[in-house]
Amino acid sequence: MAKGTVFFCQGCGYESSKWMGQCPGCKEWNTFVEEAAPKKTAGGRVKGVRERAVPVMLKEIELKEEERISTSIEELDRVLGGGIVAGALMLVGGDPGIGKSTLLLQVCKNLADANHDVMYISGEESLKQIKLRAQRIGEFKDTLTLLCETNLTEIEEVVKAKKPEIVIIDSIQTMYNENVSAAPGSVSQVRESTGTLMMLAKTLGIAIFIVGHVTKEGVVAGPRVLEHMVDTVLYFEGDRHASYRILRGVKNRFGSTNEIGVFEMQGNGLREVTNPSEFMLNGKPVGASGSVVTCSLEGTRPILVEIQALVSDTSFQIPRRTTVGMDFNRINLLLAVLEKRAGMQLGGCDAYVNLTGGMRLSEPSIDLAVVAAVISSYRNIVVDEHTIIFGEVGLTGEVRGVAQAEVRIKEAEKMGFTRCIVPKSNFDGIMANGKPGIEVVGVAGVIELVDIL
Ligand code: TYD
Ligand code: MG
């Protein structure tokens, strides 16, 4: 090893003095790349904030009502926790081509329309390319300034001189600091650049959006490396082949996480999807076995989704199981519960379980609907299309209660459903709070569900 170099995992940023095949941090293979060692700078104090470290009492800290700048995109505002906070450093991650630049350019447009001072700094596209994109989105006002630059020292100068309210950096992987000898996109460059931007955001009170590409191959450092440095982490996800995109809050120092925003990519930019349930249930088959609608809670928001199962006799030695949009192991567990507790011979069957619409859900409240879809396909019985089913299923085949059942039932009612199958424990609570305008059935175990279906 040459002197003055270290090895970084390109996935999680784990630092090591020697090369390793597997990263001890994130357990990924072949992610270590040799980089020049970052220069050690003396002391870590934020310059310009204070001269001496002076402790203050909690009660002496004055709290101003946090002013939030609205992006005029409701879906985004909700994920941010109500809008942009001055001085916040926000990371927008996602696969290349998912629509990060488009979303942020639309944010620029809205902020400029509301007479905010915005600067869009791009290291990926030329001014002409940005203009072309802007033309697709709509008319822009003059308060938006553009800059094509990748040298962070330059950017720092410009931002300090102009002091815009909001800055957008697209993308962090193209930025470099002259003092770091590693290539742009490497772990040390990405870290150093984010550090500089954080300093700018905190000392000048500028809200900064950072775009970060998620990469699997580990050629450039992923946004995971900087998750802990920024205030807010948003991930933009979605199926490449579907037109809608989901913006998910993963970390938020100024609001709650788990909130999602739903968008649809159109010819003239991203449009908000205000009623995702309708969107997700679009094209649902009528009178087909193996199709069940459930309600999942994403943050504060209930969303109806359709779960489909296909169970058929296997022609393989080991039956095939595949899932889309759900945890594979969870589905295997539910199939095992059905086999043991409801006496269904699933061991000789292939099972395919999909969440349609391309959503990804990890909430256990969809268990009961998965079970219902599997039973429906196995027995070839149709679940009434105006019924929604939710509840968590335990290993003994019991159906456990879920949070905020009332909210889910309301959403189902709003979407024109007439019957809800819910956990027994939730049922009692719902009835105690007054009867809802929709038929509610409580089940205590999966065997009971088999009878109802
Ligand atoms: P982009 O914002 O460039 O992605 P990212 O910055 O995350 O890499 O999105 C590019 C994709 O979006 C591209 O495939 C074209 C498509 N697109 C539209 O469909 N409509 C539009 O109005 C725009 C601007 C882009
Ligand atoms: Mg882009």
Side-chain angles (χ1 to χ4, degrees):
M1 189 187 82
K3 239 196 173 158
T5 65
V6 282
F7 291 84
F8 282 109
C9 166
Q10 303 291 302
C12 68
Y14 189 95
E15 189 179 331
S16 160
S17 60
K18 61 180 198 321
W19 187 86
M20 280 186 277
Q22 188 189 27
C23 172
C26 63
K27 302 280 182 281
E28 286 290 321
W29 288 89
N30 291 326
T31 52
F32 276 87
V33 171
E34 187 174 9
E35 285 178 17
K39 279 197 196 104
K40 290 270 178 294
T41 43
R45 190 185 301 163
V46 180
K47 264 186 255 140
V49 173
R50 49 185 152 59
E51 281 307 305
R52 271 256 137 69
V54 186
V56 269
M57 274 188 278
L58 187 62
K59 65 171 185 194
E60 285 173 8
I61 301 170
E62 272 180 52
L63 267 193
K64 270 193 292 177
E65 185 54 41
E66 232 166 54
E67 250 184 62
R68 296 205 181 236
I69 306 169
S70 168
T71 60
S72 309
I73 302 177
E74 221 180 279
E75 298 286 307
L76 176 61
D77 278 352
R78 186 181 41 244
V79 179
L80 286 172
I84 303 169
V85 179
L89 193 61
M90 294 158 285
L91 173 69
V92 181
D95 292 330
I98 198 89
K100 300 180 294 296
S101 305
T102 308
L103 177 71
L104 289 175
L105 204 60
Q106 278 178 274
V107 169
C108 283
K109 174 179 153 30
N110 291 348
L111 290 172
D113 284 348
N115 288 322
H116 290 292
D117 202 354
V118 201
M119 188 183 286
Y120 184 92
I121 303 173
S122 178
E124 296 201 329
E125 292 164 318
S126 67
L127 290 173
K128 272 210 190 100
Q129 281 173 306
I130 300 171
K131 175 117 191 179
L132 276 177
R133 190 199 298 271
Q135 273 174 352
R136 291 176 77 171
I137 293 170
E139 287 281 312
F140 275 70
K141 267 188 132 181
D142 304 335
T143 40
L144 170 67
T145 45
L146 296 173
L147 176 68
C148 282
E149 183 59 68
T150 52
N151 184 339
L152 219 77
T153 325
E154 283 306 292
I155 290 174
E156 207 179 340
E157 301 278 286
V158 174
V159 170
K160 272 184 181 155
K162 291 238 158 125
K163 291 206 178 63
E165 273 175 90
I166 296 128
V167 171
I168 287 154
I169 304 282
D170 190 1
S171 65
I172 192 70
Q173 275 109 354
T174 56
M175 299 295 153
Y176 74 95
N177 192 318
E178 290 161 322
N179 301 328
V180 181
S181 48
S186 60
V187 173
S188 32
Q189 279 290 6
V190 164
R191 263 196 204 151
E192 191 67 26
S193 306
T194 310
T196 312
L197 291 171
M198 183 161 64
M199 209 83 93
L200 271 180
K202 301 298 169 201
T203 50
L204 301 176
I206 299 173
I208 303 183
F209 281 99
I210 299 175
V211 172
H213 295 293
V214 176
T215 49
K216 280 233 173 69
E217 277 67 41
V219 188
V220 280
R224 299 294 300 275
V225 177
L226 25 129
E227 266 179 7
H228 67 281
M229 299 174 80
V230 299
D231 297 311
T232 304
V233 179
L234 311 178
Y235 276 108
F236 215 15
E237 52 191 53
D239 196 351
R240 248 175 193 285
H241 309 290
S243 62
Y244 76 90
R245 308 274 184 265
I246 290 167
L247 189 68
R248 201 180 282 276
V250 177
K251 164 182 175 181
N252 196 349
R253 286 185 183 145
F254 304 110
S256 68
T257 48
N258 298 325
E259 288 289 354
I260 65 163
V262 186
F263 296 89
E264 187 183 0
M265 182 63 96
Q266 293 185 341
N268 53 354
L270 290 155
R271 289 276 151 278
E272 297 177 66
V273 176
T274 40
N275 190 350
S277 295
E278 196 183 317
F279 204 79
M280 292 296 157
L281 295 183
N282 211 344
K284 180 180 152 10
V286 179
S289 65
S291 158
V292 171
V293 178
T294 187
C295 186
S296 176
L297 217 61
E298 292 289 310
T300 54
R301 194 171 200 202
I303 294 182
L304 299 186
V305 285
E306 183 198 349
I307 290 176
Q308 292 189 341
L310 180 67
V311 180
S312 62
D313 288 338
T314 186
S315 47
F316 303 101
Q317 287 270 306
I318 303 166
R320 278 180 70 92
R321 265 89 206 258
T322 66
T323 62
V324 173
M326 287 168 285
D327 181 27
F328 178 71
N329 293 323
R330 184 94 201 156
I331 302 297
N332 275 333
L333 184 150
L334 293 173
L335 292 174
V337 168
L338 271 179
E339 180 139 15
K340 179 94 180 169
R341 308 288 169 194
M344 289 165 59
Q345 301 300 318
L346 292 168
C349 297
D350 293 338
Y352 309 91
V353 185
N354 289 3
L355 205 79
T356 61
M359 277 274 282
R360 288 201 62 83
L361 293 179
S362 53
E363 216 201 0
S365 72
I366 62 173
D367 289 355
L368 197 61
V370 171
V371 167
V374 170
I375 296 171
S376 161
S377 177
Y378 180 78
R379 295 258 154 97
N380 215 5
I381 41 175
V382 178
V383 176
D384 172 44
E385 57 175 310
H386 296 296
T387 298
I388 79 152
I389 301 175
F390 60 82
E392 185 181 342
V393 174
L395 288 185
T396 64
E398 87 277 20
V399 177
R400 310 169 73 102
V402 299
Q404 311 217 40
E406 279 92 348
V407 178
R408 299 174 205 248
I409 292 174
K410 255 206 202 98
E411 176 76 5
E413 201 179 336
K414 202 176 92 193
M415 294 299 296
F417 285 78
T418 53
R419 189 164 73 136
C420 290
I421 299 180
V422 304
K424 187 94 185 134
S425 52
N426 284 124
F427 178 77
D428 300 337
I430 294 160
M431 286 305 159
N433 290 346
K435 213 172 160 337
I438 171 172
E439 188 194 342
V440 180
V441 184
V443 289
V446 287
I447 297 176
E448 223 173 295
L449 179 70
V450 176
D451 295 340
I452 292 173
L453 294 179

